[in-house]
Amino acid sequence: MTQIHATALVDPAAEIHSSVSIGPYTVIGPHVKIGAGTTVGAHCVIEGRTTIGQDNRIFQFNSLGAIPQDKKYAGEPTELTIGDRNTIREFCTFNLGVPGAGGVTSVGHDNWIMAYTHIAHDCHVDNHTTLANNTTLAGHVHLADWVTVGGLTGIHQFVSVGAHAMVGFASAVSQDVPPFMLVDGNPLAVRGFNVVGLRRRGFTPERIAAVKQMHKLLYRQGLTLEQSRNGIQALASELPEAAADVDMMNRFLASATRGIAR
């Protein structure tokens, strides 16, 4: 049986799996869908066209699916989607998307999202990320898999942060952060690459050596970005075990729209 506290207000049109738990004084709107095994704490508001997957743990005092903080928004039917097995701590705010930009804000699977995190309209947070307290994502931000963001960090609209990158405490991120890099500060600076994170995820010594070489080409040899990219491309044949990592870096650099942190 669905465990819905007597004080919760759940619209009859909402689609709530029978195994979902909903805490006291929580409000669930008519277009909300919540999958099996998810728990929602007390005093949450989940509204809009919000779809939440399975086995999420949503703590008290969260606002999910509210209209975007965008003056152009005029009530269009945009969405928020949240995948499976996410932990969402207290006082987080995730907004719907806006028309013209896909209209969907998305959070993937297995993310650890700490208190007071804001995920604005049309952001896309992939999988296995860790967002520490007071992480703030402006509109259209993309965080790839395994990104870690330190507390009190703000990320500018349209910025992309590549897979396995780590952003340190109290940083101001206004340019794209390439995969694997370790950055922090205001102004932002690249401090190295995320070797500890890569080891924890089982990267082989050969793959770590390739990432180290990519970091060197981008940041330690005084090369232009084009020269760096040419050098990185050559690594695919020199270190075939890391070919997928090299390809990911090259694709990221080719698609960067705000310039990269350098």
Side-chain angles (χ1 to χ4, degrees):
M1 295 292 292
T2 305
Q3 302 173 55
I4 300 177
H5 193 274
T7 61
L9 298 178
V10 179
D11 193 284
E15 298 180 26
I16 311 295
H17 190 271
S18 61
S19 60
V20 169
S21 173
I22 299 174
Y25 302 104
T26 282
V27 179
I28 308 288
H31 303 295
V32 172
K33 302 176 182 179
I34 304 179
T38 290
T39 63
V40 181
H43 295 276
C44 293
V45 177
I46 305 178
E47 56 188 314
R49 287 168 170 80
T50 295
T51 300
I52 300 172
Q54 300 182 17
D55 299 317
N56 296 282
R57 191 176 182 192
I58 301 168
F59 282 70
Q60 57 269 25
F61 302 109
N62 281 290
S63 171
L64 307 178
I67 65 171
Q69 297 178 114
D70 186 319
K71 292 181 178 180
K72 299 185 299 297
Y73 181 75
E76 297 89 347
T78 55
E79 301 177 44
L80 167 67
T81 65
I82 298 172
D84 303 331
R85 300 176 303 279
N86 297 288
T87 296
I88 302 172
R89 293 302 306 243
E90 300 85 352
F91 299 101
C92 293
T93 54
F94 300 179
N95 291 164
L96 301 173
V98 297
V104 178
T105 304
S106 67
V107 175
H109 309 303
D110 302 293
N111 297 288
W112 183 265
I113 300 173
M114 296 169 69
Y116 293 95
T117 291
H118 175 63
I119 299 179
H121 63 84
D122 301 283
C123 287
H124 299 290
V125 176
D126 290 348
N127 310 301
H128 302 285
T129 68
T130 299
L131 309 184
N133 293 7
N134 293 98
T135 294
T136 300
L137 310 184
H140 313 279
V141 167
H142 177 217
L143 304 184
D145 292 347
W146 296 104
V147 164
T148 299
V149 181
L152 298 171
T153 289
I155 302 183
H156 195 282
Q157 60 186 0
F158 294 101
V159 160
S160 292
V161 181
H164 303 283
M166 182 170 185
V167 181
F169 167 78
S171 297
V173 184
S174 59
Q175 291 183 298
D176 294 343
V177 178
F180 314 111
M181 295 302 119
L182 175 62
V183 301
D184 77 352
N186 182 10
L188 195 72
V190 178
R191 307 297 182 181
F193 67 98
N194 187 17
V195 62
V196 173
L198 300 184
R199 287 173 179 158
R200 288 175 176 171
R201 289 161 211 148
F203 273 56
T204 62
E206 291 77 12
R207 292 178 69 191
I208 291 175
V211 172
K212 182 177 181 179
Q213 187 62 23
M214 287 190 283
H215 170 261
K216 186 176 180 180
L217 287 163
L218 278 170
Y219 298 106
R220 294 291 183 263
Q221 295 187 331
L223 303 177
T224 66
L225 183 57
E226 182 178 1
Q227 290 170 331
S228 298
R229 290 180 60 190
N230 290 337
I232 290 168
Q233 183 62 49
L235 292 175
S237 57
E238 296 172 14
L239 298 166
E241 185 175 341
D245 303 319
V246 172
D247 179 64
M248 181 170 66
M249 177 66 81
N250 273 313
R251 286 186 284 108
F252 185 93
L253 296 174
S255 63
T257 59
R258 293 189 54 81
I260 65 167
R262 285 193 97 184

